[in-house]
Amino acid sequence: MEEIILKIIIKSLLVIMLIIYGSIAFTMNYRRWRKRRLNLIEETFANVTSFYLYPDPNIEPDLIKIQRTFRKIGIVPSKPRNVQYLIDLMIRTQRSILGENYLKLKTLFTQIPPYGASANKLGSKRWYIKARGIREIYEMNQSQYVKELIGLRNHNNIYVRREAQIGLIVFLGWKSLRFLPYLKRQMTLWQQIKIVEKLNDLYPEPDLFYLRKAYQSEKPYANELIMRIIRKFNIIEDVRYIINFLDNPNFDTRESAIYCISSFFLNEADLSEIKKKFYNISNIEQQLQLLKYIHKISNEIDLVFFKDLLYNGTDIIKLSTADILWNNGYKEEVQEYYYHQYAKQNDGEMVSV
Amino acid sequence: MEFDFSYYIFWTLNYFFLFYGLLLIALYFFAIILSSKSVATNKRKARFLQVNDIVSATDIPSITLIAPAYNEGQTIVENVKSLLALQYPFYELIVVNDGSTDNSLSLLIEKYDLEPFDSTFITQPIPTATVNKIYKSRKLQYKQLTVIDKNNGGKSDANNTGINFASTELVLCTDADCIIEQDSLLKMVRPYLEEAEQEVIACGAAIGIINDSIIKNGVVQELKLPKRLIPMIQVVEYIRAFLLGRMAWSEINGVMLVSGAFGLYARNRLIEVNGFNVHTVGEDLELGIRLRKHMEEIKVPYKMVYLPETLCWTEAPNSIDILVKQRDRWARGLWETMALHKNLFFNKKYKDMGIFYYPYWMFFELGAPIVEFIGLLSLIIFGLMGLINWNVAVLLFICVYLLGCIFSTIAIFIYVKNFKHYDSGKEVVELLLAAYLEPFVYHPVLVYGQIQGYYKKIFSLKSSWGNMKRKGFSSNP
Amino acid sequence: MRKALVIQEDIIILKILERLVLLNHYDCRAIRSINDLNIEDQSENFDIIISDILFEGISPLDFVFQIQEIILHKSLIIVTNMGQKKIQNEVVASNKVDGFFAIPLDMDHIKKLIA
């Protein structure tokens, strides 16, 4: 009985193996063929675009010929994957070009497919299709769908809501920051980076009215985003916003604050504020980063502050402080400290600064 | 009726092996489903965060690459050159010369025009062996390079020195003799850029085997399958381990091991757990477990992730004796780590790690060679006693063998479907043949090496890392 | 006729730059990687090279420092995706480049340099 069962199992396994072999063979051949097809589309697109942007003298680009060229290489409604690849190429190109050529490209791209594919994707249940649709909408400047994007800004899938939020920035600019206090879900670092990038590329003049409205956000990711915006646009008048977060209980928020503040050269009042906050930071590595920054932007060494750290800081802070003082003309103070340490070990006395 | 003790043992063992085997097969099937899902999801996510987007971005995390080096004089200059050529805008390279007795340091000083750097007040959050000197380059094009010369303390100690000296958010620990893909940092940083509710504390990627391939300027010019059978089988083994195993774990946040040859960590978390353990040869697994325990204890949601792509290449043991030494060491490392963290065993405090992941490692990673060894002994003893139905035994063996072949074939299929390596029919056929020969030629050697390692641990026999003589990477075909 | 060499991995940017350069009366050799350089290229003295800095096996700064030894040229313009301020400052500080453009870029700036 066991023998019969085992023989049946063995035969089934052999059949499965054959199916997998067939799948491997098919996959390899299909991939090779598909790669050739995609290379052809990419090369054709590159040629078409370059000749369109820089035609021969006295020759006008022929859009009908361009459309025919694309149809010949398989950019037709019945081949949606080819159409999708072309859309990706168009987006990639548009993101690489600025100036007059950017406007020329926009004109060209309205004349060739994507056959209205992007809006259809918004209705898909699959997150990657939906998110792709949103990306295409804002990259191809289809601003008529901005209401749909507003509805997707709190979607439960992180990629969908990311693309929706980026899309809102593209279409609404600084005004879209008014949604920031009402975002319910986590925003990733990449999202923050893209939002700042899009604002910088498309709306380089900061609109402080809307930015400051967003200050009421309490979520850490919103705070981090605002700090990055302040840093990117060098809004020195709002640098206090960043300073307030230097001793925040959240590690990542402090990390962002220290990173963002390091772009600024501060006045004495702000510098004093930072020195006060220094003592409240619970992470030694972050304190070290801030210490290096304080030293970098100070016109002269604040001996009171540094000596306090030298005598009363943690071991690691003491070493860094000693390093700064030693290399900035205060070798005697460092030697004095170590002499006192040696004496204290012998006498057991407390030493005050 | 007399009670036949041997018959009782025979059937008890039979049911145990049957249960163990069925459970393992079920786990493998789950792994296939999970890893397929994981690979597909990773591919979809990658479309939304491509390397061209990352390479041009500001505000991305800075990374320090730490490369411990011990007596790598033959290849150190070229290796450092290739590590300096990685495509990432914000990274530093720290080469830690771990008390080399050859001319590694002087070669670096000469080639990269290094000068000593004032290290009187260097801070060392993690205690390490004495740091002698720190060097930086006078040349603008090498300003991201730091070379730390220290007393010998082992690979873990060297990594800890690098972690101390790094000032970036992330650190990548690698071996100086590994070849790293040029865009690997751009890909490895993705999980950190996309972390949301769960903090990413470690990220790993697949490691590939590069024996007999053509390397030029530290870059894989032409990837070839190894000519010899032993390393070729390891190609299959690595594909299975990374693509099926690690990706399946990654899908359920069950990764406990990020390979020491290529792992990207959050530096602040490494400092919190005091870096690598210098007292074990399984330092990568031990660190992974310790990091997870730490995050559970401070109650911060976290994950350790794996990328399905091969981003790091290394040379695999070419011969049986070197392979045995390597697996002996891995087995000792596994034993040490399991013993060190035995408090995890079915400990609800550590949630899934205590209830599922650690027990899995105990029963199916640590336990597998022991079960196999006992199985082999049982076969011999009960065969001699005439208790074995050889017809059924042979058919069962064929069944199990075919199942193993199917798992390997599926792994190769997933690899071929998703990645560009080994894309010729000849190479795929060679890989499949290697996979089918593995149980006869390779697996017994593996079990022997592992049992040898356990034997050394049980009887406290001294052993060390050992020295794998490397052929080095050939620039000529 | 003036000679130009364009090296860009992205075929679209490569073709656009190639057209731009051709229309400005250059003989243009357009390749996607430094591995595609042949012996003739290495014996030319190009009037201009428009190149990326991201190549396999060589760091960006190393490339900028060594390019003159690999290919003779009079002028070097960098067009790259990795165009952060930090990278730009380092490359420009080498004093070996005549222009540095991060993608996305306005081709008119390059046109002014090569005219």
Side-chain angles (χ1 to χ4, degrees):
Chain A
M1 177 67 175
E2 293 124 341
E3 288 181 36
I4 296 168
I5 294 172
L6 285 169
K7 280 178 184 166
I8 293 170
I9 293 173
I10 287 169
K11 283 178 188 160
S12 313
L13 291 175
L14 285 168
V15 168
I16 293 171
M17 287 274 270
L18 285 171
I19 293 170
I20 302 171
Y21 290 149
S23 305
I24 292 175
F26 173 78
T27 300
M28 287 176 72
N29 285 319
Y30 175 77
R31 257 227 330 233
R32 234 174 255 139
W33 172 84
R34 184 76 187 142
K35 194 174 164 199
R36 274 199 304 267
R37 172 66 44 185
L38 292 178
N39 285 346
L40 175 63
I41 294 174
E42 193 184 19
E43 209 173 313
T44 308
F45 177 81
N47 284 329
V48 161
T49 310
S50 59
F51 272 90
Y52 182 81
L53 293 177
Y54 297 107
D56 287 327
N58 304 318
I59 295 179
E60 279 297 313
D62 182 348
L63 289 169
I64 308 261
K65 196 174 165 199
I66 289 171
Q67 285 167 358
R68 227 179 273 142
T69 306
F70 281 127
R71 273 200 297 273
K72 230 168 120 181
I73 56 167
I75 310 297
V76 289
S78 58
K79 292 181 182 170
R81 294 182 71 205
N82 288 352
V83 173
Q84 185 58 54
Y85 188 63
L86 184 73
I87 294 171
D88 293 340
L89 289 174
M90 283 155 58
I91 291 173
R92 188 174 110 202
T93 310
Q94 230 172 248
R95 284 162 114 189
S96 306
I97 304 287
L98 297 172
E100 202 187 305
N101 282 344
Y102 177 81
L103 298 166
K104 274 191 191 172
L105 282 178
K106 274 179 84 167
T107 313
L108 171 66
F109 293 159
T110 53
Q111 301 299 316
I112 55 179
Y115 300 107
S118 308
N120 295 341
K121 289 178 181 134
L122 290 187
S124 172
K125 284 204 172 83
R126 292 183 200 157
W127 65 265
Y128 48 94
I129 294 178
K130 211 189 221 22
R132 207 189 306 156
I134 299 171
R135 176 176 281 202
E136 287 163 21
I137 281 169
Y138 68 72
E139 290 287 1
M140 307 302 271
N141 210 29
Q142 296 172 37
S143 54
Q144 64 270 36
Y145 299 109
V146 73
K147 268 204 186 127
E148 281 82 352
L149 298 198
I150 292 172
L152 290 169
R153 74 187 187 282
N154 275 317
H155 196 272
N156 58 13
N157 179 278
I158 199 162
Y159 292 87
V160 172
R161 66 175 180 268
R162 177 174 95 192
E163 296 300 325
Q165 288 167 15
I166 294 169
L168 290 178
I169 294 287
V170 169
F171 293 132
L172 303 177
W174 292 84
K175 283 191 196 142
S176 63
L177 290 179
R178 69 179 192 264
F179 291 119
L180 205 51
Y182 310 107
L183 292 179
K184 292 176 190 150
R185 298 181 202 265
Q186 181 76 348
M187 188 188 276
T188 65
L189 172 58
W190 185 247
Q191 231 171 309
Q192 296 174 31
I193 289 171
K194 287 304 290 181
I195 287 172
V196 174
E197 227 175 70
K198 288 291 184 192
L199 271 178
N200 187 54
D201 289 344
L202 302 172
Y203 302 94
E205 280 303 314
D207 188 332
L208 295 181
F209 173 74
Y210 286 106
L211 177 65
R212 286 170 183 162
K213 269 198 153 190
Y215 287 9
Q216 36 177 297
S217 314
E218 284 172 359
K219 299 270 163 61
Y221 52 80
N223 303 142
E224 289 163 31
L225 172 62
I226 294 167
M227 286 193 274
R228 289 181 202 283
I229 292 173
I230 293 171
R231 174 185 167 273
K232 184 73 177 181
F233 289 87
N234 206 31
I235 306 172
I236 185 81
E237 54 266 45
D238 284 25
V239 80
R240 281 259 159 174
Y241 181 86
I242 300 176
I243 293 173
N244 285 337
F245 287 103
L246 284 173
D247 58 354
N248 189 272
N250 182 299
F251 176 90
D252 288 329
T253 307
R254 284 198 308 267
E255 190 82 2
S256 301
I258 294 168
Y259 170 73
C260 292
I261 201 77
S262 58
S263 308
F264 293 97
F265 280 89
L266 304 175
N267 58 34
E268 282 305 315
D270 290 336
L271 194 50
S272 288
E273 187 64 30
I274 287 179
K275 286 173 186 170
K276 280 185 209 154
K277 293 211 175 262
F278 178 91
Y279 294 99
N280 302 334
I281 296 172
S282 51
N283 183 281
I284 293 174
E285 295 294 318
Q286 288 178 330
Q287 278 190 316
L288 278 179
Q289 284 175 46
L290 197 59
L291 190 63
K292 284 176 186 157
Y293 168 69
I294 291 170
H295 166 59
K296 181 180 136 196
I297 63 164
S298 303
N299 292 327
E300 49 191 37
I301 296 277
D302 178 352
L303 209 50
V304 171
F305 174 69
F306 280 102
K307 276 181 90 171
D308 183 41
L309 293 181
L310 187 63
Y311 282 84
N312 300 315
T314 61
D315 290 343
I316 289 178
I317 295 293
K318 280 178 183 176
L319 273 171
S320 283
T321 310
D323 187 21
I324 292 170
L325 289 173
W326 186 271
N327 290 308
N328 286 277
Y330 291 96
K331 283 187 177 140
E332 279 175 20
E333 275 74 9
V334 177
Q335 284 167 341
E336 193 188 313
Y337 164 73
Y338 281 108
Y339 173 74
H340 273 298
Q341 283 299 102
Y342 177 72
K344 186 177 141 190
Q345 271 173 5
N346 287 336
D347 301 343
E349 279 177 22
M350 285 303 292
V351 181
S352 62
V353 179
Chain B
M1 198 162 126
E2 275 182 24
F3 175 69
D4 191 341
F5 191 64
S6 59
Y7 200 69
Y8 172 75
I9 300 284
F10 173 69
W11 278 107
T12 305
L13 280 174
N14 258 356
Y15 282 116
F16 168 73
F17 290 136
L18 182 68
F19 176 71
Y20 188 91
L22 285 174
L23 199 52
L24 198 55
I25 288 166
L27 286 170
Y28 261 109
F29 270 119
F30 275 123
I32 288 169
I33 295 166
L34 288 171
S35 70
S36 303
K37 184 168 177 267
S38 182
V39 170
T41 307
N42 262 286
K43 248 184 141 176
R44 287 187 191 120
K45 285 184 189 176
R47 289 193 69 162
F48 291 95
L49 189 44
Q50 296 189 357
V51 293
N52 277 342
D53 297 327
I54 303 172
V55 83
S56 59
T58 50
D59 288 11
I60 52 179
S62 46
I63 299 176
T64 298
L65 232 91
I66 300 169
Y70 179 74
N71 288 351
E72 311 270 353
Q74 256 196 335
T75 53
I76 187 89
V77 168
E78 282 302 309
N79 291 344
V80 168
K81 187 177 173 220
S82 88
L83 291 175
L84 284 170
L86 297 180
Q87 293 171 3
Y88 194 81
F90 307 112
Y91 86 97
E92 309 280 324
L93 171 63
I94 296 179
V95 176
V96 184
N97 180 45
D98 192 36
S100 296
T101 54
D102 68 355
N103 59 349
S104 297
L105 182 61
S106 52
L107 285 171
L108 287 174
I109 290 172
E110 192 193 324
K111 166 69 186 172
Y112 295 104
D113 200 9
L114 303 175
E115 59 180 351
F117 175 82
D118 182 17
S119 53
T120 319
F121 301 105
I122 52 159
T123 57
Q124 294 201 91
I126 306 169
T128 66
T130 308
V131 169
N132 299 320
K133 274 208 172 86
I134 299 177
Y135 296 88
K136 283 196 168 290
S137 177
R138 291 184 186 90
K139 290 189 175 167
L140 177 65
Q141 65 261 47
Y142 305 130
K143 68 190 262 274
Q144 79 212 96
L145 171 65
T146 302
V147 175
I148 299 178
D149 181 44
K150 64 183 274 292
N151 288 353
N152 180 259
K155 186 183 163 194
S156 299
D157 192 68
N159 272 327
N160 288 341
T161 306
I163 292 165
N164 280 341
F165 197 77
S167 56
T168 55
E169 295 148 73
L170 303 174
V171 293
L172 187 133
C173 298
T174 185
D175 292 336
D177 52 8
C178 282
I179 302 253
I180 296 181
E181 289 281 318
Q182 303 281 278
D183 58 358
S184 57
L185 297 185
L186 294 168
K187 292 175 178 171
M188 291 284 272
V189 86
R190 271 192 198 128
Y192 294 92
L193 290 172
E194 295 186 321
E195 76 180 22
E197 281 81 17
Q198 289 170 308
E199 181 184 325
V200 177
I201 55 172
C203 174
I207 295 173
I209 286 172
I210 208 168
N211 298 42
D212 300 314
S213 296
I214 298 170
I215 314 299
K216 195 178 161 196
N217 294 329
V219 173
V220 180
Q221 211 68 61
E222 193 184 336
L223 181 68
K224 292 183 177 183
L225 272 179
K227 291 177 185 142
R228 299 184 68 171
L229 187 60
I230 295 290
M232 197 189 294
I233 291 175
Q234 286 173 82
V235 172
V236 179
E237 186 193 9
Y238 277 41
I239 288 175
R240 234 183 11 239
F242 285 104
L243 211 52
L244 288 190
R246 304 275 170 98
M247 291 316 301
W249 285 123
S250 187
E251 185 66 13
I252 56 172
N253 195 13
V255 172
M256 299 222 298
L257 165 62
V258 168
S259 298
F262 195 68
L264 184 65
Y265 301 89
R267 181 175 174 265
N268 63 313
R269 296 300 181 198
L270 286 180
I271 303 258
E272 282 169 16
V273 301
N274 231 22
F276 286 89
N277 184 334
V278 301
H279 301 297
T280 172
V281 290
E283 78 286 349
D284 42 11
L285 173 63
E286 199 281 329
L287 175 67
I289 292 177
R290 199 155 26 91
L291 273 170
R292 291 190 69 123
K293 276 172 95 170
H294 173 66
M295 299 304 286
E296 295 285 355
E297 280 158 9
I298 62 173
K299 296 188 180 8
V300 172
Y302 69 96
K303 57 182 175 182
M304 287 171 67
V305 299
Y306 248 88
L307 302 182
E309 298 183 63
T310 305
L311 298 179
C312 176
W313 302 93
T314 189
E315 199 177 334
N318 239 341
S319 65
I320 287 180
D321 55 322
I322 301 173
L323 177 68
V324 166
K325 281 194 184 119
Q326 183 195 60
R327 300 310 163 110
D328 170 326
R329 188 179 77 242
W330 289 7
R332 281 184 282 118
L334 177 59
W335 183 286
E336 284 164 1
T337 304
M338 292 288 114
L340 212 53
H341 295 285
K342 56 184 181 294
N343 66 322
L344 282 172
F345 195 67
F346 289 119
N347 187 338
K348 278 190 255 183
K349 179 186 168 195
Y350 297 101
K351 298 182 192 139
D352 286 348
M353 182 168 62
I355 299 170
F356 299 115
Y357 310 147
Y358 182 89
Y360 166 85
W361 276 80
M362 186 65 95
F363 292 130
F364 296 108
E365 298 286 343
L366 184 78
I370 299 169
V371 170
E372 284 187 60
F373 184 66
I374 295 172
L376 190 63
L377 281 180
S378 307
L379 190 69
I380 296 167
I381 294 168
F382 293 126
L384 289 171
M385 289 170 75
L387 291 171
I388 304 240
N389 179 339
W390 287 108
N391 284 343
V392 171
V394 168
L395 287 173
L396 196 55
F397 171 78
I398 293 171
C399 254
V400 173
Y401 172 71
L402 282 176
L403 268 170
C405 292
I406 284 176
F407 292 137
S408 296
T409 310
I410 289 175
I412 292 169
F413 168 57
I414 297 175
Y415 196 82
V416 157
K417 183 168 186 266
N418 292 288
F419 308 108
K420 59 183 188 207
H421 311 124
Y422 312 122
D423 59 357
S424 77
K426 179 173 175 282
E427 284 174 327
V428 171
V429 168
E430 282 179 340
L431 277 176
L432 288 170
L433 286 173
Y436 303 154
L437 286 172
E438 181 185 351
F440 306 108
V441 168
Y442 180 81
H443 195 76
V445 174
L446 221 68
V447 175
Y448 172 72
Q450 288 165 323
I451 295 293
Q452 185 178 274
Y454 295 161
Y455 178 84
K456 284 179 184 173
K457 288 311 299 182
I458 291 168
F459 295 102
S460 307
L461 297 174
K462 274 210 167 107
S463 198
S464 64
W465 267 78
N467 258 326
M468 176 169 140
K469 279 210 181 72
R470 295 185 184 276
K471 272 174 68 177
F473 304 130
S474 163
S475 292
N476 300 310
Chain C
M1 189 80 136
R2 294 179 293 177
K3 291 192 195 308
L5 173 66
V6 181
I7 317 174
Q8 287 288 323
E9 207 253 318
D10 183 332
I11 191 171
I12 299 169
I13 302 293
L14 178 71
K15 293 282 181 193
I16 295 173
L17 284 169
E18 187 185 16
R19 282 296 298 165
L20 173 66
V21 156
L22 283 171
L23 287 179
N24 279 274
H25 315 293
Y26 283 84
D27 261 341
C28 184
R29 169 101 166 103
I31 53 176
R32 295 183 75 174
S33 149
I34 46 175
N35 294 331
D36 297 337
L37 288 169
N38 56 33
I39 307 238
E40 283 120 31
D41 297 326
Q42 289 176 290
S43 54
E44 286 279 3
N45 186 359
F46 289 98
D47 291 276
I48 192 152
I49 295 180
I50 303 175
S51 175
D52 199 337
I53 47 173
L54 291 173
F55 299 110
E56 288 200 332
I58 186 165
S59 72
L61 274 178
D62 236 351
F63 171 78
V64 166
F65 275 90
Q66 289 183 28
I67 180 80
Q68 187 65 253
E69 284 146 47
I70 306 170
I71 325 161
L72 285 174
H73 59 276
K74 293 177 187 145
S75 182
L76 175 63
I77 297 174
I78 301 297
V79 172
T80 182
N81 263 316
M82 198 162 85
Q84 293 85 354
K85 264 269 164 310
K86 169 183 172 272
I87 306 294
Q88 183 173 359
N89 292 341
E90 286 170 359
V91 169
V92 166
S94 70
N95 290 323
K96 293 189 186 291
V97 305
D98 300 281
F100 184 101
F101 299 96
I103 290 170
L105 78 156
D106 187 341
M107 294 285 178
D108 287 346
H109 297 319
I110 297 186
K111 197 172 165 184
K112 282 180 195 147
L113 274 183
I114 66 173

